Amino acid sequence: MQGHDPIVWNDTLVTGVDEMDDQHRILVKTLNEAGVKLSGNRDSALLEQITRDLLSYAIYHFETEEALMEEYNYQGVHPEDAASHAQQHRSFSAKVVAVREGLKSGTPISREDLLSFLNGWLVGHIMNTDKKLAAFLISQRA
Ligand SMILES: [Fe+2]
């Protein structure tokens, strides 16, 4: 699979925490739609709108996960995992902000580079970092 191909939702992406999985499905759908909208399109107004929508949904989603971390004291039990998880959220947002700044200053990122980054980050983050958090939440809720 190429990094900019659509993400196919499958069971390996399921964390088992419904709130997280529901939002991850929306994120995957949003990314895949972005890929379609950007096909053969060099319209920077569209890229501006797509990255804005994506950033605002991603921030909302990160807040949901970080509220769950707070609620179950992830930081207290697994301080390193909690810190690196929050750090990954920050660096994702910073990268999208940098892409948006590049757009404004006339140095747009290519569709391929943008989608490779977004898809690669999301799949890697869900499979490793989010699954670790989910396993913790499930054990606390049991
Ligand atoms: Fe996360």
Side-chain angles (χ1 to χ4, degrees), residues 20 24 61-62 65 69 85 89 121 125 129-130 133:
M20 290 169 68
H24 287 159
H61 169 61
F62 296 159
E65 286 187 357
M69 292 187 210
H85 196 146
H89 289 171
W121 187 92
H125 182 78
T129 310
D130 286 340
L133 170 63

Side-chain angles (χ1 to χ4, degrees), residues 37-47 108-112:
K37 283 186 200 152
L38 291 172
S39 294
N41 204 319
R42 298 280 141 224
D43 181 353
S44 69
L46 184 63
L47 201 51
I109 186 173
S110 76
R111 168 184 183 269
E112 288 71 23

Side-chain angles (χ1 to χ4, degrees), residues 12 26 110 139-140:
T12 67
I26 294 171
S110 76
S139 73
Q140 296 305 107

